[in-house]
Amino acid sequence: MTESVFWDPLLIQRYNRPGPRYTSYPTAVEFQSVDSDAMEQQAYAQRDPEKPLSLYLHIPFCRHVCYYCGCNKIVTKDTSRAAPYLDYLKDEIRRKRALLQPAADGQLAAVEQMHLGGGTPTFLSDDELVELVTFLKQQFRFSTADNADFSIEVDPRELRPTTLTLLRELGFNRISYGVQDLEPEVQEAVNRVQSEEMIRQVMNEARELGFHSINIDLIYGLPHQTLESFARTIETIIDISPDRLSVFNYAHLPERFKPQRRINAEDLPPAEEKLAILGHCITRLSEAGYHYVGMDHFAKPDDELAIAQASGTLHRNFQGYTTHGSCDLLGFGVSSISQIGDYYLQNQVKLEHYENCLNQQQLPLSKVCEVSADDHIRRRVITELLCHLHINFDALDQEFGINSRDYLAADIDRLTPMHQDALVDISSAGIRITERGRLLVRNACMAFDTYLQRHEQQRFSRAI
């Protein structure tokens, strides 16, 4: 593959239908509600104790509501709500830590990755951040390897003068800033006003403190965005020069996400303009030297994501593209999701239900999904396509003890239109996404999703 990304707006529009983002397979719509924590207890009992760990902690609080947001959050300026939440969070961590079995060396497997998300993790005071990380280090053994990944999402508006320094001292080495757009009219329309000067300042400070990788999130399709206006944002971001960029498609679903009802649909860019914005963004970032990782993600060639993709070790899970795919993911906090062996386990989504479970001495489990043998095969196919743009039939046969050509015959047939449009190559050896098809890899994955036919009515976001 070259670093350029093929752009054909008519072709993309033809394939631009709703579908999952495949941070898991089966996807979250397949998770089933449960009324006890028995399956989570079972997942921990069956866990391979040699597998390293990845921790995700969900901090749901935000001081401000961003109108585009579809995340699970609690909007409040009352910072005193953080302390009781931390108490519940620590209770959950203790309970799950007690279920972990030591590895052969008598120690718990190391934590290779940790991510604080939300919400706004820096809603917590500096003292509360110290309290939380100190507690985690008492409960777990954290890796000291160079490739250990400890990251946090940051709203640039919610940083105190000492916070970035403190985060670096606590061991965080990667940071992600939510920027979305730099145009004042767009910022005001989505209630997220932050100046270019502020973004440059927090970027420079993070670099000076030695954060290994700095990500910026952008969103295209917001109210009042135009090709010209977003081009200005992209030029500024290129000049700021983050290590990674996530450029997300705004899906306007006001019937599902209440804050989006404050956005006037008439102010959104029309489909043709939105597509043009994305096309320019991809072209310009490629010209500026960014590698297109896939699924809205870009990275500099020397960033770990780009290196992992080149070496064939990139993975995808609930934290998006990751270099730590061998880990079991333990989720803590309201709405968080764990991935342990053959199980996906989602915590209670509402804070009161989360607290009630812990008050009753139970894990705050809400939904589960046990991965079947068929799911494992399809998850491997989807992951390989999303991360490495090809699948090898012989490798599938060896890993799963199947004749993958026969096993996946019906799914491969569903790729016929994409094959005819030269978006995928299908041979006796395997399936490869072509340069023409890189932006539509999500569509290729849908062909292998046996659940998708039942959920065509689900409001997934569009592929582009």
Side-chain angles (χ1 to χ4, degrees), residues 5 11 42 48 56 72 101 105 109 133 144 149 162 196 203-204 212 238 288 291 327 333 341 360 362 377-378 408 438:
V5 180
L11 185 67
Q42 183 174 316
D48 178 359
Y56 172 75
N72 185 47
Q101 299 298 316
D105 62 2
V133 173
T144 57
D149 184 348
T162 55
E196 176 187 331
M203 284 290 296
N204 290 338
H212 297 175
I238 289 171
H291 168 72
C327 296
Q360 295 168 16
Q362 292 183 350
I377 296 168
R378 296 175 184 279
L408 300 170
R438 284 177 73 186

Side-chain angles (χ1 to χ4, degrees), residues 336-445:
S336 68
I337 299 176
S338 300
Q339 182 178 342
I340 302 173
D342 291 341
Y343 297 89
Y344 295 115
L345 308 134
Q346 183 171 22
N347 275 358
Q348 296 286 345
V349 172
K350 292 186 177 180
L351 183 59
E352 61 183 298
H353 296 162
Y354 172 81
E355 294 173 346
N356 287 342
C357 287
L358 290 166
N359 286 337
Q360 295 168 16
Q361 313 302 310
Q362 292 183 350
L363 297 176
L365 183 63
S366 171
K367 293 182 178 181
V368 302
C369 178
E370 185 174 5
V371 179
S372 70
D374 178 71
D375 293 335
H376 273 290
I377 296 168
R378 296 175 184 279
R379 182 168 69 182
R380 169 64 68 193
V381 169
I382 289 169
T383 299
E384 290 301 308
L385 289 176
L386 286 175
C387 294
H388 305 119
L389 304 174
H390 66 86
I391 54 174
N392 180 280
F393 291 141
D394 288 343
L396 288 176
D397 294 350
Q398 183 174 359
E399 181 175 358
F400 296 105
I402 59 172
N403 182 327
S404 56
R405 297 160 182 82
D406 292 341
Y407 191 95
L408 300 170
D411 312 285
I412 295 169
D413 284 344
R414 282 193 282 272
L415 288 176
T416 298
M418 297 189 74
H419 179 62
Q420 292 171 340
D421 285 329
L423 303 174
V424 299
D425 283 338
I426 303 172
S427 69
S428 59
I431 298 169
R432 183 178 65 86
I433 306 297
T434 67
E435 288 192 359
R436 284 173 58 88
R438 284 177 73 186
L439 290 175
L440 294 165
V441 62
R442 188 167 160 188
N443 296 71
C445 294

